Amino acid sequence: MVEKKDIEKLIIQNKKSTLKNHWNDAFFYNTTKYSGEIKPNELLIWRSAHFLRGAYPIFHLTFGKNAELNGIKTEKNPYHKLLNKISIGFFIVLALVLLFTTEFKTAIIGIIGFSVIGTLLHLVMSKAKKYETKILTDELKQAIENIERENNPELINKPKTELKKEKIKEWTFSKILTRLLLYPFCLLILWFSITLFLPGGIFKYKTLGVFGIIVSLAYPITDLIMIFRKNKNYS
């Protein structure tokens, strides 16, 4: 059994879970294990992610009457929540600007273009966030298990079955179908974005083309990197 006072030792930087603190942590890859806020019957523990930085989760640990660990759940940090609201607000403002400053046809094309790019970018970020959240979750569970083994020497020779890494299947039917649809779609967006740089294109379309090229390449590249990393980790 692991008690609250034992897990508190994992917290190197004791600070409150505020927007300001998470804002600061978002801009640096913090290898400190861990930053956290200590409350009477719960602990909030976090550290920034390697790839996404600010999209790391907060681990919410709750404890019973005898200070024994009841469970762990994850939640978005305040900075990540603010970033999501800003992204939605930016898209709404952008759509309104296009509608009121350009021709209707041009505005619709622009809104559709940014919607497609935003969707692909969301897929990239979601995939990376899911991958890194799993890494951070396994890492914390491993740290807690190590504490339990230190407190109970009889468990030292016990196989680590509970926290054994499970290989995530990357070639299920749904994932194969998703890639068969999205990879050609990304190539289509890439081709369309490149055509915006042909002679006769105006600045606003070239700007859209830059975003299109970046995002259309980001999804397949990120997807392949995640696959290779997972295969390496579980090989």
Side-chain angles (χ1 to χ4, degrees):
M1 182 178 66
V2 181
E3 298 183 357
K4 181 172 178 287
K5 63 180 180 179
D6 297 318
I7 302 179
E8 286 180 4
K9 297 176 183 178
L10 295 175
I11 299 177
I12 306 301
Q13 295 182 352
N14 185 5
K15 53 188 178 183
K16 290 186 177 295
S17 178
T18 62
L19 175 60
K20 180 181 178 181
N21 285 330
H22 288 291
W23 177 284
N24 292 331
D25 288 345
F27 290 96
F28 301 97
Y29 176 39
N30 184 9
T31 57
T32 301
K33 301 179 183 179
Y34 288 89
S35 298
E37 180 177 352
I38 300 175
K39 296 184 178 183
N41 296 314
E42 60 186 359
L43 295 176
L44 303 180
I45 293 178
W46 69 86
R47 78 178 184 91
S48 60
H50 179 68
F51 180 71
L52 294 179
R53 302 299 171 89
Y56 59 84
I58 295 177
F59 294 101
H60 191 162
L61 285 68
T62 56
F63 300 86
K65 294 181 179 180
N66 297 322
E68 75 279 2
L69 180 63
N70 276 344
I72 302 174
K73 64 179 182 179
T74 61
E75 58 187 37
K76 292 181 180 179
N77 68 70
Y79 170 78
H80 189 196
K81 293 178 181 178
L82 176 63
L83 195 62
N84 287 342
K85 292 179 180 179
I86 292 176
S87 299
I88 295 173
F90 174 78
F91 177 79
I92 294 175
V93 170
L94 180 62
L96 291 175
V97 169
L98 288 173
L99 286 173
F100 288 104
T101 60
T102 62
E103 296 179 358
F104 181 76
K105 181 179 179 180
T106 302
I108 295 300
I109 293 174
I111 292 174
I112 292 175
F114 280 109
S115 298
V116 171
I117 292 173
T119 300
L120 287 176
L121 186 59
H122 175 72
L123 290 173
V124 171
M125 299 298 287
S126 296
K127 188 175 183 66
K129 180 178 178 294
K130 183 178 180 180
Y131 173 69
E132 290 208 324
T133 297
K134 186 179 187 309
I135 291 177
L136 293 174
T137 302
D138 289 343
E139 184 181 80
L140 178 60
K141 288 182 178 180
Q142 186 65 63
I144 294 175
E145 184 186 28
N146 291 338
I147 292 175
E148 185 177 16
R149 287 173 177 272
E150 289 178 3
N151 293 342
N152 302 277
E154 67 275 10
L155 299 177
I156 293 179
N157 296 324
K158 180 182 177 180
K160 299 181 180 181
T161 54
E162 295 84 357
L163 296 179
K164 184 179 179 181
K165 294 181 179 179
E166 296 181 0
K167 185 173 181 179
I168 299 177
K169 296 180 180 180
E170 283 295 336
W171 301 107
T172 60
F173 176 77
S174 61
K175 291 185 177 181
I176 291 175
L177 182 60
T178 300
R179 291 186 176 107
L180 287 175
L181 293 174
L182 286 181
Y183 273 52
F185 184 67
C186 287
L187 290 176
L188 179 62
I189 296 298
L190 178 62
W191 173 82
F192 178 75
S193 300
I194 293 175
T195 60
L196 296 179
F197 290 91
L198 296 177
I202 58 178
F203 176 75
K204 57 188 173 184
Y205 285 141
K206 289 183 179 180
T207 304
L208 182 61
V210 171
F211 283 105
I213 291 173
I214 293 174
V215 177
S216 62
L217 291 176
Y219 176 77
I221 291 175
T222 303
D223 186 50
L224 292 173
I225 289 175
M226 295 302 172
I227 292 174
F228 289 140
R229 280 186 179 180
K230 289 173 185 177
N231 289 337
K232 182 178 179 181
N233 290 338
Y234 295 106
S235 60

PDB file of all heavy atoms in Angstrom, residues 179-198:
ATOM      1  N   ARG A 179      -5.753   5.745 -42.156  1.00  0.00           N
ATOM      2  CA  ARG A 179      -4.570   6.150 -42.931  1.00  0.00           C
ATOM      3  C   ARG A 179      -4.842   6.102 -44.432  1.00  0.00           C
ATOM      4  O   ARG A 179      -4.328   6.935 -45.172  1.00  0.00           O
ATOM      5  CB  ARG A 179      -3.392   5.238 -42.568  1.00  0.00           C
ATOM      6  CG  ARG A 179      -2.881   5.455 -41.148  1.00  0.00           C
ATOM      7  CD  ARG A 179      -1.629   4.664 -40.845  1.00  0.00           C
ATOM      8  NE  ARG A 179      -1.141   4.995 -39.516  1.00  0.00           N
ATOM      9  CZ  ARG A 179      -1.229   4.182 -38.456  1.00  0.00           C
ATOM     10  NH1 ARG A 179      -1.780   2.984 -38.598  1.00  0.00           N
ATOM     11  NH2 ARG A 179      -0.766   4.558 -37.283  1.00  0.00           N
ATOM     12  N   LEU A 180      -5.637   5.120 -44.879  1.00  0.00           N
ATOM     13  CA  LEU A 180      -5.965   5.042 -46.304  1.00  0.00           C
ATOM     14  C   LEU A 180      -6.762   6.267 -46.761  1.00  0.00           C
ATOM     15  O   LEU A 180      -6.680   6.678 -47.920  1.00  0.00           O
ATOM     16  CB  LEU A 180      -6.762   3.768 -46.588  1.00  0.00           C
ATOM     17  CG  LEU A 180      -5.978   2.452 -46.544  1.00  0.00           C
ATOM     18  CD1 LEU A 180      -6.920   1.266 -46.733  1.00  0.00           C
ATOM     19  CD2 LEU A 180      -4.881   2.440 -47.615  1.00  0.00           C
ATOM     20  N   LEU A 181      -7.507   6.862 -45.835  1.00  0.00           N
ATOM     21  CA  LEU A 181      -8.284   8.049 -46.165  1.00  0.00           C
ATOM     22  C   LEU A 181      -7.473   9.340 -45.996  1.00  0.00           C
ATOM     23  O   LEU A 181      -7.514  10.231 -46.851  1.00  0.00           O
ATOM     24  CB  LEU A 181      -9.542   8.115 -45.285  1.00  0.00           C
ATOM     25  CG  LEU A 181     -10.593   7.026 -45.514  1.00  0.00           C
ATOM     26  CD1 LEU A 181     -11.701   7.143 -44.473  1.00  0.00           C
ATOM     27  CD2 LEU A 181     -11.176   7.131 -46.918  1.00  0.00           C
ATOM     28  N   LEU A 182      -6.727   9.418 -44.907  1.00  0.00           N
ATOM     29  CA  LEU A 182      -6.046  10.673 -44.580  1.00  0.00           C
ATOM     30  C   LEU A 182      -4.750  10.895 -45.359  1.00  0.00           C
ATOM     31  O   LEU A 182      -4.437  12.037 -45.715  1.00  0.00           O
ATOM     32  CB  LEU A 182      -5.759  10.742 -43.076  1.00  0.00           C
ATOM     33  CG  LEU A 182      -6.969  11.005 -42.179  1.00  0.00           C
ATOM     34  CD1 LEU A 182      -6.557  11.084 -40.721  1.00  0.00           C
ATOM     35  CD2 LEU A 182      -7.664  12.299 -42.589  1.00  0.00           C
ATOM     36  N   TYR A 183      -3.993   9.831 -45.632  1.00  0.00           N
ATOM     37  CA  TYR A 183      -2.733  10.020 -46.352  1.00  0.00           C
ATOM     38  C   TYR A 183      -2.978  10.597 -47.756  1.00  0.00           C
ATOM     39  O   TYR A 183      -2.341  11.593 -48.131  1.00  0.00           O
ATOM     40  CB  TYR A 183      -1.961   8.708 -46.421  1.00  0.00           C
ATOM     41  CG  TYR A 183      -1.080   8.465 -45.209  1.00  0.00           C
ATOM     42  CD1 TYR A 183      -1.603   8.543 -43.919  1.00  0.00           C
ATOM     43  CD2 TYR A 183       0.260   8.152 -45.349  1.00  0.00           C
ATOM     44  CE1 TYR A 183      -0.808   8.325 -42.806  1.00  0.00           C
ATOM     45  CE2 TYR A 183       1.074   7.935 -44.229  1.00  0.00           C
ATOM     46  CZ  TYR A 183       0.526   8.019 -42.957  1.00  0.00           C
ATOM     47  OH  TYR A 183       1.310   7.811 -41.861  1.00  0.00           O
ATOM     48  N   PRO A 184      -3.882   9.998 -48.562  1.00  0.00           N
ATOM     49  CA  PRO A 184      -4.173  10.610 -49.867  1.00  0.00           C
ATOM     50  C   PRO A 184      -4.758  12.022 -49.730  1.00  0.00           C
ATOM     51  O   PRO A 184      -4.470  12.897 -50.546  1.00  0.00           O
ATOM     52  CB  PRO A 184      -5.200   9.655 -50.491  1.00  0.00           C
ATOM     53  CG  PRO A 184      -4.969   8.355 -49.797  1.00  0.00           C
ATOM     54  CD  PRO A 184      -4.600   8.717 -48.398  1.00  0.00           C
ATOM     55  N   PHE A 185      -5.566  12.218 -48.674  1.00  0.00           N
ATOM     56  CA  PHE A 185      -6.146  13.542 -48.454  1.00  0.00           C
ATOM     57  C   PHE A 185      -5.055  14.572 -48.160  1.00  0.00           C
ATOM     58  O   PHE A 185      -5.105  15.709 -48.656  1.00  0.00           O
ATOM     59  CB  PHE A 185      -7.137  13.485 -47.301  1.00  0.00           C
ATOM     60  CG  PHE A 185      -7.858  14.774 -47.057  1.00  0.00           C
ATOM     61  CD1 PHE A 185      -8.757  15.268 -47.986  1.00  0.00           C
ATOM     62  CD2 PHE A 185      -7.636  15.496 -45.899  1.00  0.00           C
ATOM     63  CE1 PHE A 185      -9.425  16.461 -47.773  1.00  0.00           C
ATOM     64  CE2 PHE A 185      -8.299  16.695 -45.678  1.00  0.00           C
ATOM     65  CZ  PHE A 185      -9.196  17.171 -46.616  1.00  0.00           C
ATOM     66  N   CYS A 186      -4.056  14.185 -47.374  1.00  0.00           N
ATOM     67  CA  CYS A 186      -2.935  15.081 -47.080  1.00  0.00           C
ATOM     68  C   CYS A 186      -2.148  15.397 -48.359  1.00  0.00           C
ATOM     69  O   CYS A 186      -1.711  16.540 -48.559  1.00  0.00           O
ATOM     70  CB  CYS A 186      -2.005  14.441 -46.051  1.00  0.00           C
ATOM     71  SG  CYS A 186      -2.683  14.411 -44.366  1.00  0.00           S
ATOM     72  N   LEU A 187      -1.982  14.389 -49.219  1.00  0.00           N
ATOM     73  CA  LEU A 187      -1.296  14.631 -50.490  1.00  0.00           C
ATOM     74  C   LEU A 187      -2.087  15.594 -51.362  1.00  0.00           C
ATOM     75  O   LEU A 187      -1.514  16.447 -52.053  1.00  0.00           O
ATOM     76  CB  LEU A 187      -1.078  13.295 -51.225  1.00  0.00           C
ATOM     77  CG  LEU A 187      -0.059  12.339 -50.604  1.00  0.00           C
ATOM     78  CD1 LEU A 187      -0.027  11.030 -51.377  1.00  0.00           C
ATOM     79  CD2 LEU A 187       1.335  12.977 -50.587  1.00  0.00           C
ATOM     80  N   LEU A 188      -3.420  15.463 -51.334  1.00  0.00           N
ATOM     81  CA  LEU A 188      -4.280  16.363 -52.102  1.00  0.00           C
ATOM     82  C   LEU A 188      -4.152  17.798 -51.593  1.00  0.00           C
ATOM     83  O   LEU A 188      -4.039  18.748 -52.385  1.00  0.00           O
ATOM     84  CB  LEU A 188      -5.737  15.896 -52.011  1.00  0.00           C
ATOM     85  CG  LEU A 188      -6.775  16.759 -52.762  1.00  0.00           C
ATOM     86  CD1 LEU A 188      -6.480  16.751 -54.253  1.00  0.00           C
ATOM     87  CD2 LEU A 188      -8.185  16.245 -52.483  1.00  0.00           C
ATOM     88  N   ILE A 189      -4.168  17.960 -50.269  1.00  0.00           N
ATOM     89  CA  ILE A 189      -4.012  19.292 -49.675  1.00  0.00           C
ATOM     90  C   ILE A 189      -2.628  19.853 -50.004  1.00  0.00           C
ATOM     91  O   ILE A 189      -2.476  21.045 -50.301  1.00  0.00           O
ATOM     92  CB  ILE A 189      -4.207  19.230 -48.147  1.00  0.00           C
ATOM     93  CG1 ILE A 189      -5.643  18.809 -47.810  1.00  0.00           C
ATOM     94  CG2 ILE A 189      -3.885  20.577 -47.507  1.00  0.00           C
ATOM     95  CD1 ILE A 189      -6.690  19.776 -48.300  1.00  0.00           C
ATOM     96  N   LEU A 190      -1.607  19.001 -49.973  1.00  0.00           N
ATOM     97  CA  LEU A 190      -0.249  19.440 -50.298  1.00  0.00           C
ATOM     98  C   LEU A 190      -0.183  19.935 -51.743  1.00  0.00           C
ATOM     99  O   LEU A 190       0.390  21.000 -52.021  1.00  0.00           O
ATOM    100  CB  LEU A 190       0.735  18.287 -50.085  1.00  0.00           C
ATOM    101  CG  LEU A 190       2.197  18.574 -50.434  1.00  0.00           C
ATOM    102  CD1 LEU A 190       2.746  19.689 -49.562  1.00  0.00           C
ATOM    103  CD2 LEU A 190       3.035  17.305 -50.271  1.00  0.00           C
ATOM    104  N   TRP A 191      -0.773  19.154 -52.658  1.00  0.00           N
ATOM    105  CA  TRP A 191      -0.770  19.552 -54.075  1.00  0.00           C
ATOM    106  C   TRP A 191      -1.526  20.866 -54.268  1.00  0.00           C
ATOM    107  O   TRP A 191      -1.050  21.764 -54.963  1.00  0.00           O
ATOM    108  CB  TRP A 191      -1.412  18.449 -54.915  1.00  0.00           C
ATOM    109  CG  TRP A 191      -1.606  18.846 -56.358  1.00  0.00           C
ATOM    110  CD1 TRP A 191      -0.690  18.821 -57.365  1.00  0.00           C
ATOM    111  CD2 TRP A 191      -2.819  19.366 -56.932  1.00  0.00           C
ATOM    112  NE1 TRP A 191      -1.238  19.276 -58.530  1.00  0.00           N
ATOM    113  CE2 TRP A 191      -2.548  19.622 -58.307  1.00  0.00           C
ATOM    114  CE3 TRP A 191      -4.096  19.625 -56.436  1.00  0.00           C
ATOM    115  CZ2 TRP A 191      -3.501  20.137 -59.169  1.00  0.00           C
ATOM    116  CZ3 TRP A 191      -5.057  20.136 -57.294  1.00  0.00           C
ATOM    117  CH2 TRP A 191      -4.753  20.382 -58.643  1.00  0.00           C
ATOM    118  N   PHE A 192      -2.696  20.984 -53.641  1.00  0.00           N
ATOM    119  CA  PHE A 192      -3.494  22.201 -53.774  1.00  0.00           C
ATOM    120  C   PHE A 192      -2.755  23.406 -53.197  1.00  0.00           C
ATOM    121  O   PHE A 192      -2.780  24.507 -53.774  1.00  0.00           O
ATOM    122  CB  PHE A 192      -4.835  22.020 -53.061  1.00  0.00           C
ATOM    123  CG  PHE A 192      -5.715  23.229 -53.099  1.00  0.00           C
ATOM    124  CD1 PHE A 192      -6.388  23.575 -54.256  1.00  0.00           C
ATOM    125  CD2 PHE A 192      -5.855  24.029 -51.971  1.00  0.00           C
ATOM    126  CE1 PHE A 192      -7.188  24.710 -54.297  1.00  0.00           C
ATOM    127  CE2 PHE A 192      -6.653  25.164 -52.013  1.00  0.00           C
ATOM    128  CZ  PHE A 192      -7.326  25.495 -53.181  1.00  0.00           C
ATOM    129  N   SER A 193      -2.061  23.207 -52.056  1.00  0.00           N
ATOM    130  CA  SER A 193      -1.333  24.303 -51.416  1.00  0.00           C
ATOM    131  C   SER A 193      -0.174  24.780 -52.291  1.00  0.00           C
ATOM    132  O   SER A 193       0.103  25.976 -52.377  1.00  0.00           O
ATOM    133  CB  SER A 193      -0.802  23.855 -50.043  1.00  0.00           C
ATOM    134  OG  SER A 193      -1.868  23.469 -49.193  1.00  0.00           O
ATOM    135  N   ILE A 194       0.502  23.828 -52.948  1.00  0.00           N
ATOM    136  CA  ILE A 194       1.617  24.191 -53.821  1.00  0.00           C
ATOM    137  C   ILE A 194       1.131  24.997 -55.027  1.00  0.00           C
ATOM    138  O   ILE A 194       1.786  25.935 -55.479  1.00  0.00           O
ATOM    139  CB  ILE A 194       2.376  22.930 -54.279  1.00  0.00           C
ATOM    140  CG1 ILE A 194       3.075  22.282 -53.077  1.00  0.00           C
ATOM    141  CG2 ILE A 194       3.402  23.267 -55.361  1.00  0.00           C
ATOM    142  CD1 ILE A 194       3.754  20.963 -53.391  1.00  0.00           C
ATOM    143  N   THR A 195      -0.065  24.636 -55.537  1.00  0.00           N
ATOM    144  CA  THR A 195      -0.600  25.361 -56.709  1.00  0.00           C
ATOM    145  C   THR A 195      -0.905  26.819 -56.389  1.00  0.00           C
ATOM    146  O   THR A 195      -0.970  27.655 -57.299  1.00  0.00           O
ATOM    147  CB  THR A 195      -1.880  24.686 -57.231  1.00  0.00           C
ATOM    148  OG1 THR A 195      -2.880  24.691 -56.197  1.00  0.00           O
ATOM    149  CG2 THR A 195      -1.603  23.253 -57.657  1.00  0.00           C
ATOM    150  N   LEU A 196      -1.089  27.144 -55.107  1.00  0.00           N
ATOM    151  CA  LEU A 196      -1.374  28.526 -54.728  1.00  0.00           C
ATOM    152  C   LEU A 196      -0.164  29.434 -54.927  1.00  0.00           C
ATOM    153  O   LEU A 196      -0.294  30.657 -54.899  1.00  0.00           O
ATOM    154  CB  LEU A 196      -1.839  28.590 -53.266  1.00  0.00           C
ATOM    155  CG  LEU A 196      -3.160  27.867 -52.943  1.00  0.00           C
ATOM    156  CD1 LEU A 196      -3.489  27.995 -51.476  1.00  0.00           C
ATOM    157  CD2 LEU A 196      -4.297  28.431 -53.785  1.00  0.00           C
ATOM    158  N   PHE A 197       1.011  28.823 -55.115  1.00  0.00           N
ATOM    159  CA  PHE A 197       2.225  29.618 -55.320  1.00  0.00           C
ATOM    160  C   PHE A 197       2.526  29.831 -56.804  1.00  0.00           C
ATOM    161  O   PHE A 197       3.519  30.467 -57.149  1.00  0.00           O
ATOM    162  CB  PHE A 197       3.429  28.925 -54.657  1.00  0.00           C
ATOM    163  CG  PHE A 197       3.385  28.960 -53.156  1.00  0.00           C
ATOM    164  CD1 PHE A 197       2.783  27.938 -52.441  1.00  0.00           C
ATOM    165  CD2 PHE A 197       3.920  30.031 -52.465  1.00  0.00           C
ATOM    166  CE1 PHE A 197       2.735  27.968 -51.065  1.00  0.00           C
ATOM    167  CE2 PHE A 197       3.873  30.078 -51.080  1.00  0.00           C
ATOM    168  CZ  PHE A 197       3.275  29.041 -50.376  1.00  0.00           C
ATOM    169  N   LEU A 198       1.681  29.288 -57.651  1.00  0.00           N
ATOM    170  CA  LEU A 198       1.883  29.477 -59.082  1.00  0.00           C
ATOM    171  C   LEU A 198       1.621  30.934 -59.469  1.00  0.00           C
ATOM    172  O   LEU A 198       0.943  31.666 -58.739  1.00  0.00           O
ATOM    173  CB  LEU A 198       0.949  28.536 -59.859  1.00  0.00           C
ATOM    174  CG  LEU A 198       1.191  27.032 -59.667  1.00  0.00           C
ATOM    175  CD1 LEU A 198       0.150  26.237 -60.446  1.00  0.00           C
ATOM    176  CD2 LEU A 198       2.593  26.652 -60.095  1.00  0.00           C
TER     177      LEU A 198
END
